[in-house]
Amino acid sequence: MPVSLSALCPLLSIPLASSIPSMPPDAPKVSGWLRARYANSSDVDVDSVAAGDQDLGGFNLDSARLVISGDAWEGFTYTISMEAGDSATSDATGDGIGLLDAYAGVKVGDFATASIGRFSSTVLWRTAVRKLLFLDRSFLGETWDGRDVGVELTGRFGKLDWWTAAQNGADSTADDLALSACVAFHLLGDSLHLEEGVVELGDARHLIASACWYDDQSFSDGTAVGGSLHYAQGPFAATVELVDFDEDIRPGPTVNTATGAVIPGAYAATGVEMPWDATVSWLLVPERWELAARWQDLDDDGETTVASVAVNRYVAGHNVKWTLQVDTSDSDDAALEADVLSVGMTVGF
């Protein structure tokens, strides 16, 4: 009597598809944005060869970003982003279109997720904010917006959100890591919204206090500590943030000649020590017009300050908007003094 192989080995009679869990059915999510501006200033010299020869008055592609994300398996996610645009502020690898983020998310228990790969660690709470009131991040926001390779744990417990990361730091793959931690507590409100202003917040009240710590162990004095306080209700929002830098990691202010903005440059003994900034905004017309003002004291050797005013005309919230912005920087360093008028357009999807 013939004997089938399936009778001898019951496993062979089980269909292959039923022995492997199915992949998540959702397709990858594609998102991103484009931001461009026109900037004009008679104080910003864009000609690095012949000093004083050419004033700023042209167009700039600030950012063109594409983000692909999704679920790879139950408990595993992925995020890959690419960016082209202003090389003075982008952390993309290489010129032209470069890799920005590339990390996997792994669920760790019920209260935490690990991000593993290349990412921007959440040192300041506003590092994670992508919907901005101004065309430029604050000096502190730009300082902590860099990308590095490592691992970050993030989670939420009640009204407390927390992040802690270990990344390569300034010595690349040598054994001195850059460590960071941030906690944000919701004194009022239950959600950690990731936008500046109030155009998409509704009527709920928000009061968020945060504290942060950073230590690049490749420096003798490479520690920074700081925090922020954020309030939003109805048409009004306000944020204050401050960071104290050790002497080895004090970023020196410099001017982005494509935009006129004062941004962090290389570490310098004359760089910032304990910079702080304050931002207020008022929604003039619901869902349509928002006015914002920002003051920054960089606390560098040049005693540099930056005052900014912006008006946003929302077409579809932060996804489609126009921004009119005026920046005035004052400093003992003449190279950091400038009055700049900018008009920008942001389109996101």
Side-chain angles (χ1 to χ4, degrees), residues 51-99:
D53 187 57
Q54 194 169 18
D55 294 336
L56 173 63
F59 296 91
N60 189 58
L61 178 62
D62 294 349
S63 175
R65 187 175 301 184
L66 181 66
V67 182
I68 302 172
S69 61
D71 296 322
W73 207 270
E74 183 177 356
F76 293 83
T77 63
Y78 61 89
T79 300
I80 299 172
S81 67
M82 293 161 283
E83 185 172 67
D86 189 356
S87 58
T89 57
S90 174
D91 294 298
T93 56
D95 297 328
I97 300 175
L99 178 69

Tab-separated table of all heavy atoms in Angstrom, residues 51-99:
chain	number	residue	atom	x	y	z
A	51	ALA	N	34.680	91.342	-0.376
A	51	ALA	CA	33.850	91.768	0.753
A	51	ALA	C	33.135	93.071	0.439
A	51	ALA	O	33.713	94.020	-0.097
A	51	ALA	CB	34.715	91.929	1.994
A	52	GLY	N	31.843	93.106	0.762
A	52	GLY	CA	31.055	94.313	0.564
A	52	GLY	C	30.617	94.538	-0.863
A	52	GLY	O	30.116	95.604	-1.198
A	53	ASP	N	30.765	93.526	-1.716
A	53	ASP	CA	30.525	93.731	-3.143
A	53	ASP	C	29.088	93.419	-3.564
A	53	ASP	O	28.617	93.938	-4.559
A	53	ASP	CB	31.496	92.844	-3.943
A	53	ASP	CG	31.431	93.134	-5.434
A	53	ASP	OD1	31.643	94.293	-5.811
A	53	ASP	OD2	31.147	92.195	-6.200
A	54	GLN	N	28.377	92.563	-2.815
A	54	GLN	CA	27.067	92.111	-3.292
A	54	GLN	C	26.113	91.895	-2.126
A	54	GLN	O	26.361	91.091	-1.237
A	54	GLN	CB	27.224	90.806	-4.090
A	54	GLN	CG	25.987	90.437	-4.897
A	54	GLN	CD	26.269	89.305	-5.857
A	54	GLN	OE1	27.251	88.588	-5.715
A	54	GLN	NE2	25.407	89.138	-6.844
A	55	ASP	N	24.993	92.632	-2.115
A	55	ASP	CA	23.991	92.505	-1.062
A	55	ASP	C	23.088	91.314	-1.305
A	55	ASP	O	22.941	90.831	-2.429
A	55	ASP	CB	23.132	93.780	-0.984
A	55	ASP	CG	23.939	94.991	-0.548
A	55	ASP	OD1	24.981	94.797	0.107
A	55	ASP	OD2	23.531	96.132	-0.875
A	56	LEU	N	22.440	90.840	-0.215
A	56	LEU	CA	21.487	89.741	-0.310
A	56	LEU	C	20.197	90.235	-0.946
A	56	LEU	O	19.630	91.245	-0.537
A	56	LEU	CB	21.198	89.184	1.092
A	56	LEU	CG	20.086	88.140	1.200
A	56	LEU	CD1	20.439	86.880	0.412
A	56	LEU	CD2	19.825	87.789	2.660
A	57	GLY	N	19.718	89.519	-1.934
A	57	GLY	CA	18.462	89.858	-2.590
A	57	GLY	C	18.110	88.797	-3.609
A	57	GLY	O	18.177	89.024	-4.821
A	58	GLY	N	17.713	87.614	-3.118
A	58	GLY	CA	17.446	86.516	-4.035
A	58	GLY	C	16.602	85.438	-3.393
A	58	GLY	O	16.148	85.568	-2.257
A	59	PHE	N	16.406	84.367	-4.142
A	59	PHE	CA	15.536	83.271	-3.723
A	59	PHE	C	16.366	82.114	-3.175
A	59	PHE	O	17.497	81.880	-3.620
A	59	PHE	CB	14.690	82.785	-4.903
A	59	PHE	CG	13.745	83.835	-5.421
A	59	PHE	CD1	14.139	84.703	-6.437
A	59	PHE	CD2	12.475	83.967	-4.881
A	59	PHE	CE1	13.273	85.681	-6.917
A	59	PHE	CE2	11.599	84.942	-5.358
A	59	PHE	CZ	12.004	85.797	-6.375
A	60	ASN	N	15.785	81.376	-2.239
A	60	ASN	CA	16.481	80.252	-1.618
A	60	ASN	C	15.502	79.096	-1.414
A	60	ASN	O	14.366	79.290	-0.969
A	60	ASN	CB	17.060	80.658	-0.262
A	60	ASN	CG	17.972	79.585	0.321
A	60	ASN	OD1	18.954	79.199	-0.309
A	60	ASN	ND2	17.676	79.116	1.527
A	61	LEU	N	15.939	77.886	-1.762
A	61	LEU	CA	15.177	76.686	-1.440
A	61	LEU	C	15.634	76.231	-0.060
A	61	LEU	O	16.696	75.634	0.090
A	61	LEU	CB	15.417	75.592	-2.479
A	61	LEU	CG	14.703	74.257	-2.210
A	61	LEU	CD1	13.184	74.436	-2.207
A	61	LEU	CD2	15.120	73.209	-3.240
A	62	ASP	N	14.835	76.547	0.966
A	62	ASP	CA	15.218	76.195	2.328
A	62	ASP	C	15.233	74.689	2.526
A	62	ASP	O	16.180	74.126	3.069
A	62	ASP	CB	14.247	76.817	3.333
A	62	ASP	CG	14.319	78.333	3.354
A	62	ASP	OD1	15.251	78.885	2.748
A	62	ASP	OD2	13.446	78.951	3.985
A	63	SER	N	14.165	74.032	2.113
A	63	SER	CA	14.042	72.603	2.378
A	63	SER	C	13.055	71.966	1.420
A	63	SER	O	11.970	72.495	1.200
A	63	SER	CB	13.573	72.375	3.828
A	63	SER	OG	13.324	71.015	4.083
A	64	ALA	N	13.438	70.824	0.866
A	64	ALA	CA	12.529	69.960	0.108
A	64	ALA	C	12.721	68.559	0.669
A	64	ALA	O	13.738	67.917	0.409
A	64	ALA	CB	12.832	70.005	-1.378
A	65	ARG	N	11.758	68.118	1.486
A	65	ARG	CA	11.933	66.879	2.243
A	65	ARG	C	10.882	65.841	1.855
A	65	ARG	O	9.715	66.162	1.697
A	65	ARG	CB	11.860	67.139	3.747
A	65	ARG	CG	12.204	65.912	4.600
A	65	ARG	CD	12.237	66.243	6.070
A	65	ARG	NE	13.210	67.277	6.365
A	65	ARG	CZ	13.472	67.692	7.602
A	65	ARG	NH1	12.832	67.160	8.633
A	65	ARG	NH2	14.361	68.649	7.794
A	66	LEU	N	11.344	64.596	1.744
A	66	LEU	CA	10.466	63.462	1.465
A	66	LEU	C	10.663	62.428	2.565
A	66	LEU	O	11.794	62.028	2.849
A	66	LEU	CB	10.796	62.846	0.101
A	66	LEU	CG	9.942	61.648	-0.335
A	66	LEU	CD1	8.500	62.077	-0.562
A	66	LEU	CD2	10.520	61.018	-1.601
A	67	VAL	N	9.560	62.019	3.198
A	67	VAL	CA	9.611	61.068	4.316
A	67	VAL	C	8.780	59.835	3.955
A	67	VAL	O	7.620	59.952	3.563
A	67	VAL	CB	9.069	61.699	5.613
A	67	VAL	CG1	9.189	60.708	6.765
A	67	VAL	CG2	9.801	63.000	5.931
A	68	ILE	N	9.386	58.659	4.102
A	68	ILE	CA	8.693	57.388	3.881
A	68	ILE	C	8.716	56.624	5.197
A	68	ILE	O	9.788	56.391	5.773
A	68	ILE	CB	9.367	56.570	2.768
A	68	ILE	CG1	9.404	57.370	1.466
A	68	ILE	CG2	8.638	55.248	2.555
A	68	ILE	CD1	10.219	56.715	0.367
A	69	SER	N	7.549	56.231	5.688
A	69	SER	CA	7.475	55.535	6.968
A	69	SER	C	6.371	54.488	6.924
A	69	SER	O	5.487	54.537	6.067
A	69	SER	CB	7.215	56.525	8.103
A	69	SER	OG	5.974	57.197	7.908
A	70	GLY	N	6.425	53.558	7.859
A	70	GLY	CA	5.388	52.534	7.902
A	70	GLY	C	5.697	51.460	8.916
A	70	GLY	O	6.664	51.547	9.690
A	71	ASP	N	4.860	50.428	8.933
A	71	ASP	CA	5.013	49.279	9.811
A	71	ASP	C	5.693	48.156	9.037
A	71	ASP	O	5.196	47.721	7.998
A	71	ASP	CB	3.655	48.799	10.322
A	71	ASP	CG	2.979	49.843	11.197
A	71	ASP	OD1	3.693	50.507	11.964
A	71	ASP	OD2	1.745	49.996	11.099
A	72	ALA	N	6.823	47.678	9.557
A	72	ALA	CA	7.506	46.551	8.927
A	72	ALA	C	6.968	45.219	9.440
A	72	ALA	O	6.936	44.232	8.710
A	72	ALA	CB	9.008	46.629	9.198
A	73	TRP	N	6.561	45.196	10.679
A	73	TRP	CA	6.013	44.011	11.336
A	73	TRP	C	5.363	44.491	12.608
A	73	TRP	O	5.524	45.664	12.999
A	73	TRP	CB	7.137	43.008	11.625
A	73	TRP	CG	6.655	41.580	11.691
A	73	TRP	CD1	6.210	40.907	12.781
A	73	TRP	CD2	6.580	40.673	10.599
A	73	TRP	NE1	5.866	39.632	12.453
A	73	TRP	CE2	6.091	39.450	11.096
A	73	TRP	CE3	6.894	40.756	9.246
A	73	TRP	CZ2	5.884	38.331	10.307
A	73	TRP	CZ3	6.693	39.646	8.454
A	73	TRP	CH2	6.197	38.448	8.972
A	74	GLU	N	4.646	43.643	13.275
A	74	GLU	CA	4.018	44.054	14.528
A	74	GLU	C	5.101	44.439	15.543
A	74	GLU	O	5.974	43.642	15.894
A	74	GLU	CB	3.161	42.928	15.096
A	74	GLU	CG	2.415	43.320	16.366
A	74	GLU	CD	1.511	42.222	16.876
A	74	GLU	OE1	1.403	41.168	16.199
A	74	GLU	OE2	0.915	42.410	17.947
A	75	GLY	N	5.055	45.690	15.985
A	75	GLY	CA	6.048	46.182	16.927
A	75	GLY	C	7.287	46.762	16.290
A	75	GLY	O	8.186	47.230	16.998
A	76	PHE	N	7.373	46.771	14.946
A	76	PHE	CA	8.546	47.299	14.244
A	76	PHE	C	8.085	48.316	13.193
A	76	PHE	O	7.216	48.021	12.368
A	76	PHE	CB	9.329	46.185	13.547
A	76	PHE	CG	9.989	45.224	14.487
A	76	PHE	CD1	9.275	44.174	15.038
A	76	PHE	CD2	11.320	45.383	14.829
A	76	PHE	CE1	9.872	43.285	15.904
A	76	PHE	CE2	11.935	44.492	15.701
A	76	PHE	CZ	11.211	43.442	16.250
A	77	THR	N	8.688	49.486	13.214
A	77	THR	CA	8.394	50.527	12.231
A	77	THR	C	9.691	50.987	11.568
A	77	THR	O	10.797	50.658	12.030
A	77	THR	CB	7.704	51.734	12.876
A	77	THR	OG1	8.598	52.339	13.835
A	77	THR	CG2	6.416	51.315	13.582
A	78	TYR	N	9.556	51.743	10.500
A	78	TYR	CA	10.724	52.304	9.826
A	78	TYR	C	10.425	53.718	9.368
A	78	TYR	O	9.282	54.079	9.094
A	78	TYR	CB	11.127	51.446	8.615
A	78	TYR	CG	10.042	51.339	7.558
A	78	TYR	CD1	9.950	52.282	6.529
A	78	TYR	CD2	9.114	50.306	7.592
A	78	TYR	CE1	8.951	52.192	5.572
A	78	TYR	CE2	8.125	50.210	6.645
A	78	TYR	CZ	8.042	51.159	5.631
A	78	TYR	OH	7.049	51.075	4.690
A	79	THR	N	11.466	54.539	9.322
A	79	THR	CA	11.371	55.910	8.802
A	79	THR	C	12.626	56.209	8.001
A	79	THR	O	13.745	56.028	8.504
A	79	THR	CB	11.234	56.933	9.937
A	79	THR	OG1	10.049	56.660	10.692
A	79	THR	CG2	11.168	58.350	9.380
A	80	ILE	N	12.444	56.639	6.778
A	80	ILE	CA	13.552	57.058	5.915
A	80	ILE	C	13.176	58.407	5.326
A	80	ILE	O	12.076	58.568	4.785
A	80	ILE	CB	13.815	56.047	4.787
A	80	ILE	CG1	14.184	54.681	5.368
A	80	ILE	CG2	14.925	56.544	3.864
A	80	ILE	CD1	14.281	53.585	4.324
A	81	SER	N	14.053	59.391	5.439
A	81	SER	CA	13.774	60.694	4.847
A	81	SER	C	14.980	61.183	4.066
A	81	SER	O	16.126	60.892	4.414
A	81	SER	CB	13.382	61.717	5.916
A	81	SER	OG	14.475	62.016	6.764
A	82	MET	N	14.684	61.919	3.002
A	82	MET	CA	15.705	62.522	2.155
A	82	MET	C	15.412	64.005	2.026
A	82	MET	O	14.250	64.429	2.109
A	82	MET	CB	15.732	61.853	0.789
A	82	MET	CG	16.191	60.398	0.836
A	82	MET	SD	15.707	59.474	-0.647
A	82	MET	CE	13.967	59.195	-0.293
A	83	GLU	N	16.455	64.788	1.842
A	83	GLU	CA	16.258	66.234	1.783
A	83	GLU	C	17.216	66.866	0.791
A	83	GLU	O	18.365	66.432	0.639
A	83	GLU	CB	16.442	66.865	3.169
A	83	GLU	CG	16.126	68.358	3.191
A	83	GLU	CD	16.131	68.911	4.596
A	83	GLU	OE1	17.215	68.949	5.207
A	83	GLU	OE2	15.058	69.324	5.077
A	84	ALA	N	16.724	67.904	0.132
A	84	ALA	CA	17.545	68.787	-0.682
A	84	ALA	C	17.219	70.201	-0.239
A	84	ALA	O	16.159	70.460	0.326
A	84	ALA	CB	17.240	68.614	-2.170
A	85	GLY	N	18.144	71.119	-0.463
A	85	GLY	CA	17.863	72.499	-0.070
A	85	GLY	C	19.087	73.186	0.492
A	85	GLY	O	20.220	72.919	0.066
A	86	ASP	N	18.870	74.048	1.471
A	86	ASP	CA	19.909	74.916	2.014
A	86	ASP	C	20.948	74.098	2.780
A	86	ASP	O	20.661	73.553	3.840
A	86	ASP	CB	19.257	75.951	2.931
A	86	ASP	CG	20.240	77.025	3.363
A	86	ASP	OD1	21.425	76.916	3.004
A	86	ASP	OD2	19.822	77.965	4.052
A	87	SER	N	22.146	74.023	2.269
A	87	SER	CA	23.190	73.219	2.896
A	87	SER	C	23.654	73.797	4.223
A	87	SER	O	24.258	73.089	5.039
A	87	SER	CB	24.396	73.079	1.947
A	87	SER	OG	24.909	74.363	1.609
A	88	ALA	N	23.366	75.086	4.486
A	88	ALA	CA	23.796	75.705	5.736
A	88	ALA	C	22.975	75.231	6.927
A	88	ALA	O	23.420	75.342	8.062
A	88	ALA	CB	23.721	77.225	5.618
A	89	THR	N	21.779	74.709	6.684
A	89	THR	CA	20.930	74.261	7.783
A	89	THR	C	20.550	72.792	7.691
A	89	THR	O	20.129	72.200	8.682
A	89	THR	CB	19.630	75.090	7.849
A	89	THR	OG1	18.943	75.003	6.594
A	89	THR	CG2	19.942	76.547	8.140
A	90	SER	N	20.687	72.178	6.526
A	90	SER	CA	20.310	70.775	6.371
A	90	SER	C	21.395	69.855	6.925
A	90	SER	O	22.588	70.148	6.825
A	90	SER	CB	20.075	70.438	4.900
A	90	SER	OG	19.836	69.055	4.737
A	91	ASP	N	20.972	68.730	7.505
A	91	ASP	CA	21.894	67.714	7.996
A	91	ASP	C	21.934	66.499	7.075
A	91	ASP	O	22.364	65.420	7.486
A	91	ASP	CB	21.493	67.273	9.404
A	91	ASP	CG	21.644	68.396	10.414
A	91	ASP	OD1	22.774	68.868	10.604
A	91	ASP	OD2	20.623	68.821	10.975
A	92	ALA	N	21.464	66.665	5.842
A	92	ALA	CA	21.489	65.566	4.883
A	92	ALA	C	22.926	65.192	4.553
A	92	ALA	O	23.834	66.032	4.558
A	92	ALA	CB	20.736	65.953	3.614
A	93	THR	N	23.150	63.915	4.277
A	93	THR	CA	24.484	63.449	3.922
A	93	THR	C	24.747	63.765	2.451
A	93	THR	O	24.040	63.299	1.572
A	93	THR	CB	24.612	61.936	4.144
A	93	THR	OG1	23.591	61.268	3.395
A	93	THR	CG2	24.448	61.594	5.606
A	94	GLY	N	25.745	64.566	2.175
A	94	GLY	CA	26.093	64.885	0.799
A	94	GLY	C	25.306	66.058	0.259
A	94	GLY	O	24.306	66.499	0.822
A	95	ASP	N	25.782	66.600	-0.853
A	95	ASP	CA	25.119	67.714	-1.524
A	95	ASP	C	23.974	67.196	-2.386
A	95	ASP	O	23.824	66.000	-2.608
A	95	ASP	CB	26.124	68.480	-2.395
A	95	ASP	CG	27.236	69.111	-1.564
A	95	ASP	OD1	26.949	69.489	-0.415
A	95	ASP	OD2	28.367	69.194	-2.070
A	96	GLY	N	23.180	68.136	-2.905
A	96	GLY	CA	22.047	67.754	-3.733
A	96	GLY	C	21.008	67.059	-2.877
A	96	GLY	O	20.642	67.520	-1.802
A	97	ILE	N	20.497	65.917	-3.329
A	97	ILE	CA	19.548	65.131	-2.550
A	97	ILE	C	20.333	64.157	-1.686
A	97	ILE	O	21.087	63.332	-2.192
A	97	ILE	CB	18.584	64.365	-3.469
A	97	ILE	CG1	17.799	65.338	-4.355
A	97	ILE	CG2	17.618	63.518	-2.642
A	97	ILE	CD1	16.923	64.663	-5.376
A	98	GLY	N	20.168	64.270	-0.373
A	98	GLY	CA	20.937	63.434	0.535
A	98	GLY	C	20.067	62.755	1.576
A	98	GLY	O	18.930	63.170	1.832
A	99	LEU	N	20.593	61.714	2.188
A	99	LEU	CA	19.901	61.007	3.250
A	99	LEU	C	19.857	61.866	4.500
A	99	LEU	O	20.875	62.430	4.920
A	99	LEU	CB	20.610	59.684	3.545
A	99	LEU	CG	20.026	58.833	4.673
A	99	LEU	CD1	18.666	58.275	4.270
A	99	LEU	CD2	20.986	57.700	5.029
